[in-house]
Amino acid sequence: MIRFICTKDYDDMSRKAANIIGAQIVAKPDSVLGLATGSTPIGAYARLVEGYEQGDLDFSRVTSVNLDEYRGLPHDNDQSYYYFMNYHLFSKVNIDVNNTYVPDGMIADADEACKKYDEIVKNTGGVDLQLLGMGHNGHIGFNEPSDVFVKGTNCVNLTQSTIDANARFFASKEDVPTQAYTMGIQTIMNAKKILVVVNGEGKADIVKKAFFGDITPQVPASILQLHPDVIVVGDEAAFSQIKDMI
Ligand code: GLP
């Protein structure tokens, strides 16, 4: 089941998303959070940091597993997702870094890297709340449009449109890695609750396709229609094509 929360703008979206994550931590202090990167969740992370600073949120017993990582980027590369998480959240709250997991982009053997990450996710005991952004082509994590829904952690070849979209974070398009390790669709679907954040007019088209279109691996996020507990928090622009349907 999918519930939609329409918010005024990016700030409003970020606050409401952070409230949902914060409530999860308050209700279950040893929650396992599935975390996401990309520009969309940055505001929510900033709000969570504020919640921690104000003494409302305690991350000391939280475990986190991130969705994905570029293959070949070390932790200290400022474009790696490990670096992103550390910068936006881990270094700013009292989470135990030993309980934070991001796929290791430096394991060259893809099979080994994927197997290892599946083990890690399994050993957490299961994700309580999975935060997701969504790519313009409907990708979740880095699960790109494909002929099948890949179940477990996998090594993906990024599509040109994803490389183009993510180039804004790199010095040049040539610097964007062409491959990534990502949690699989089944792993994402195994989360007890899923929170999707989307903002901006640029996502309006894919929001409609993903949540009201056919369920197809060509739009990976469309599988979320089959999950029992999904909340999509989006701003008015991202919801502009579905406002009469929600
Ligand atoms: C990247 C990440 C995704 C993210 C997507 C959207 O490709 N791998 O997890 O959801 O981008 O990014 P943005 O939030 O910047 O639009």
Side-chain angles (χ1 to χ4, degrees), residues 157-192:
N157 295 319
L158 302 178
T159 62
Q160 195 56 45
S161 75
T162 297
I163 291 171
D164 293 348
N166 289 352
R168 67 193 194 277
F169 302 115
F170 290 81
S172 77
K173 207 171 269 186
E174 288 66 47
D175 291 335
V176 186
T178 55
Q179 289 188 314
Y181 295 137
T182 181
M183 244 187 218
I185 293 291
Q186 183 163 47
T187 316
I188 293 172
M189 290 292 281
N190 282 345
K192 293 189 187 89

Side-chain angles (χ1 to χ4, degrees), residues 107-140:
I107 300 179
D109 182 329
D111 285 345
E112 184 194 334
C114 296
K115 236 170 120 184
K116 192 172 164 205
Y117 204 61
D118 279 338
E119 264 316 289
I120 286 172
V121 178
K122 196 171 144 206
N123 289 340
T124 64
V127 173
D128 292 298
L129 176 65
Q130 174 69 57
L131 175 63
L132 291 179
M134 194 163 66
H136 288 95
N137 57 8
H139 73 232
I140 46 177

Side-chain angles (χ1 to χ4, degrees), residues 31-164:
S31 286
V32 179
L33 301 179
L35 297 178
T37 53
S39 54
T40 315
I42 290 176
Y45 290 143
R47 292 287 178 177
L48 289 174
V49 170
E50 277 172 30
Y52 164 69
E53 287 169 348
Q54 287 158 8
D56 292 329
L57 294 177
D58 175 11
F59 288 78
S60 62
R61 294 170 60 204
V62 168
T63 297
S64 71
V65 280
N66 259 79
L67 284 166
D68 48 9
E69 178 61 283
Y70 289 112
R71 188 179 187 200
L73 290 197
H75 284 174
D76 59 354
N77 182 302
D78 64 3
Q79 292 309 325
S80 78
Y81 283 169
Y82 180 90
Y83 190 100
F84 174 105
M85 288 311 303
N86 208 39
Y87 179 79
H88 289 289
L89 189 68
F90 300 158
S91 66
K92 295 181 171 150
V93 298
N94 65 337
I95 197 164
D96 179 348
V97 285
N98 295 315
N99 295 334
T100 65
Y101 300 98
V102 179
D104 186 348
M106 292 309 283
I107 300 179
D109 182 329
D111 285 345
E112 184 194 334
C114 296
K115 236 170 120 184
K116 192 172 164 205
Y117 204 61
D118 279 338
E119 264 316 289
I120 286 172
V121 178
K122 196 171 144 206
N123 289 340
T124 64
V127 173
D128 292 298
L129 176 65
Q130 174 69 57
L131 175 63
L132 291 179
M134 194 163 66
H136 288 95
N137 57 8
H139 73 232
I140 46 177
F142 262 136
N143 293 283
E144 296 279 34
S146 149
D147 292 338
V148 290
F149 289 113
V150 181
K151 294 184 195 167
T153 304
N154 59 106
C155 179
V156 288
N157 295 319
L158 302 178
T159 62
Q160 195 56 45
S161 75
T162 297
I163 291 171
D164 293 348

Side-chain angles (χ1 to χ4, degrees), residues 184-205:
I185 293 291
Q186 183 163 47
T187 316
I188 293 172
M189 290 292 281
N190 282 345
K192 293 189 187 89
K193 289 181 214 151
I194 296 181
L195 168 62
V196 186
V197 285
V198 275
N199 77 292
E201 187 62 42
K203 295 277 169 76
D205 191 44

